[in-house]
Amino acid sequence: MPIFQAPPGHGVKPPVDPDTLIHRDLVGGDFWRKIPAYREIDEATFLDHRWQSKNSITRPDKLLNAVRELASPEFIADAEAGFHRAPMSVRVSPYILALIDWSSPYQDPLRRQFVPLASRLFPDHPKLDLDSLHEQADSPTPGLTHRYPDKALFLTLDTCPVYCRYCTRSYAVGVDTDEVHKVSLKAKPDRWDNIFKYIESRPELEDIVISGGDAYNLRAEQLKIIGERLLAIPHLRRMRFASKGPAVMPQKILTDDAWFGALAEMVEAGRKVHKDVALHTHFNHANEITAITQRAMNRLMEAGIHVRNQSVLLRGVNDSVAAMGLLIKRMSYVNVHGYYVYQHDLVKGVEDLRTTVGSTLELEKQVRGMTAGYNSPLFIVDAPGGGGKRDVHSFEHYNPVTGVSVYRSPNVDPGAFYCYFDPIDLLPNEGQQRWSDPAEHDAIVDEALAAAKARQR
Ligand SMILES: *Cc1c(COP(=O)(O)O)cnc(C)c1O
Ligand code: SF4
């Protein structure tokens, strides 16, 4: 006798109302025309990547002027003050600008990513520092981070097609701001040459992440120089070009034939020598995926280019089950594999965007199983202090009252313990009280570390 005998018909799923399959409803048509400045822009122009780049907005006053008729004066003043105090450079593509719902900009998930508001600026966490991931400390030569045994991160240049408020590399990416004087990582052949030589000298390296900044901003011939040189290194087996581009300017994939051709050529060259070359991108919200995105992803698929996605968990953007579920389903629908969702790093000036480890545990539980396992991302914490990526569930200790979680990372440093800190404004009262007293800070960390170490015995 089977132990679980379901009554006949039990477990048969009733059909789903097709109207609820909203992940397939991609925004199409000429949606950009609702922005006054784009009212006369036809489709061919809006799809032209040169037009998108040339019209990307790099000054707060210009950005706000473009939407002044659409948003309230209070919002505009709030954003003006917000930009004034933000550590990140400003750059927003027309594509993103047109996808923001300016009639409700406080709630809009894309606005939250690119336009800071003074009214939402919370104090930074006391344990925050600018290069919280210690990418510079683990760097044998400028722009290469070699932390894990067989893989390394290559920062090819320091510019991006847009600048995200929450950027983890605000120590280097973008131009200097009032708040931060940046480390220089230019697209320079002699800097790259030192990186190639280091990689050649390390037979254990099999995998290179080609990032930045952003691989979208490499010229086609630069992308080929890097790809060909790396493919020629016998011990390298895998590489990924990392770009936010598909999420913020999918037009480039459709109309920059030189860049697309260079990428396709590198993927093809890799395939011929049995090396995996892929594109990694960074969608954070389902609203970033439109009919234009789908055409771009179709073009990549036709060229046999695999696309994987790394999202950052952002409060009010994708931290609800509905938003994260929709994102994952919609990415699957356009053939983008959800790879990682990162707990937000400790970054200056964006406490309003961070969430707690506790909420991530629940979110992960709710979304796993919504779609194919290979499209369901792993939720991770990039452990501050250079611990690297850890499954969010794998902490040695977590205190939801003080918001301290402690991780180990044996492949990086077998003896080390790494702490992540939840944003203070989301802690229960008792935790907020303790952090408000600077004399308590060391005790909070020490007790978390002691609890983690006690578990090791
Ligand atoms: C993320 C990262 C990698 C790649 O890690 P995967 O888990 O394979 O995606 C490599 N080096 C550094 C320093 C990184 O931060
Ligand atoms: S695209 Fe990536 S590297 Fe560039 S600003 Fe955004 S998060 Fe930072």
Side-chain angles (χ1 to χ4, degrees), residues 261-283:
L263 177 68
E265 202 183 308
M266 289 307 102
V267 171
E268 178 72 22
R271 197 180 301 124
K272 292 227 169 81
V273 293
H274 314 126
K275 297 188 179 194
D276 181 46
V277 182
L279 180 63
H280 276 209
T281 190
H282 179 181
F283 290 100

Side-chain angles (χ1 to χ4, degrees), residues 357 390-399 404-410 413-420 447-457:
V357 161
R390 304 283 80 203
D391 182 332
V392 67
H393 293 89
S394 70
F395 49 76
E396 308 299 325
H397 170 76
Y398 176 47
N399 181 342
V404 183
S405 45
V406 184
Y407 291 87
R408 290 180 58 226
S409 191
D413 182 344
F417 290 81
Y418 303 91
C419 296
Y420 179 81
E447 74 193 28
L449 287 170
K453 286 173 186 164
R455 253 195 65 175
Q456 310 304 309
R457 288 186 217 113

Side-chain angles (χ1 to χ4, degrees), residues 138-156 189-211 225-241 275:
D138 287 342
S139 178
T141 176
L144 190 81
T145 302
H146 185 185
R147 169 175 306 146
Y148 299 98
D150 78 346
K151 56 190 178 185
L153 170 66
F154 177 2
L155 304 179
T156 58
D190 52 339
R191 186 175 67 84
W192 291 354
D193 212 49
N194 289 333
I195 289 174
F196 295 135
K197 284 183 181 136
Y198 177 84
I199 297 170
E200 281 159 353
S201 77
R202 289 302 191 109
E204 71 272 31
L205 283 176
E206 296 187 355
D207 179 1
I208 304 295
V209 180
I210 304 154
S211 186
I225 289 170
I226 292 171
E228 281 168 358
R229 179 83 180 253
L230 294 179
L231 279 173
I233 300 175
H235 50 262
L236 284 192
R237 305 291 305 158
R238 302 173 283 283
M239 57 177 148
R240 352 154 180 184
F241 288 95
K275 297 188 179 194

Side-chain angles (χ1 to χ4, degrees), residues 149-365:
D150 78 346
K151 56 190 178 185
L153 170 66
F154 177 2
L155 304 179
T156 58
L157 78 180
D158 55 11
T159 62
C160 302
V162 292
Y163 291 120
C164 314
R165 286 181 54 208
Y166 50 87
C167 183
T168 222
R169 301 208 178 107
S170 50
Y171 67 86
V173 164
V175 292
D176 287 349
T177 64
D178 293 350
E179 294 285 325
V180 186
H181 185 75
K182 313 271 172 172
V183 176
S184 170
L185 294 175
K186 299 274 172 274
K188 283 223 197 83
D190 52 339
R191 186 175 67 84
W192 291 354
D193 212 49
N194 289 333
I195 289 174
F196 295 135
K197 284 183 181 136
Y198 177 84
I199 297 170
E200 281 159 353
S201 77
R202 289 302 191 109
E204 71 272 31
L205 283 176
E206 296 187 355
D207 179 1
I208 304 295
V209 180
I210 304 154
S211 186
D214 196 294
Y216 242 40
N217 283 21
L218 291 169
R219 292 197 306 274
E221 57 281 14
Q222 292 176 321
L223 192 151
K224 267 167 63 171
I225 289 170
I226 292 171
E228 281 168 358
R229 179 83 180 253
L230 294 179
L231 279 173
I233 300 175
H235 50 262
L236 284 192
R237 305 291 305 158
R238 302 173 283 283
M239 57 177 148
R240 352 154 180 184
F241 288 95
S243 174
K244 176 86 180 160
V248 295
M249 204 187 282
Q251 289 87 348
K252 186 176 174 87
I253 292 166
L254 294 170
T255 58
D256 188 347
D257 288 335
W259 190 90
F260 177 84
L263 177 68
E265 202 183 308
M266 289 307 102
V267 171
E268 178 72 22
R271 197 180 301 124
K272 292 227 169 81
V273 293
H274 314 126
K275 297 188 179 194
D276 181 46
V277 182
L279 180 63
H280 276 209
T281 190
H282 179 181
F283 290 100
N284 284 329
H285 192 276
N287 290 3
E288 296 153 10
I289 303 174
T290 63
I292 300 174
T293 320
Q294 186 174 39
R295 284 173 61 188
M297 295 303 119
N298 288 350
R299 189 175 192 202
L300 290 165
M301 185 167 222
E302 284 164 30
I305 301 171
H306 291 287
V307 185
R308 305 188 194 105
N309 188 72
Q310 309 187 183
S311 300
V312 178
L313 199 50
L314 302 166
R315 196 191 309 184
V317 175
N318 56 17
D319 64 334
S320 68
V321 176
M324 183 55 75
L326 186 59
L327 172 65
I328 292 171
K329 294 274 289 176
R330 191 167 285 174
M331 288 196 301
S332 300
Y333 190 61
V334 298
N335 300 310
V336 175
H337 300 286
Y339 175 42
Y340 282 145
V341 174
Y342 288 78
Q343 188 78 30
H344 198 305
D345 293 326
L346 288 144
V347 173
K348 210 168 155 35
V350 289
E351 282 298 273
D352 61 307
L353 288 175
R354 294 205 301 126
T355 61
T356 66
V357 161
S359 64
T360 308
L361 301 176
E362 185 57 27
L363 183 61
E364 195 274 348
K365 187 176 299 172

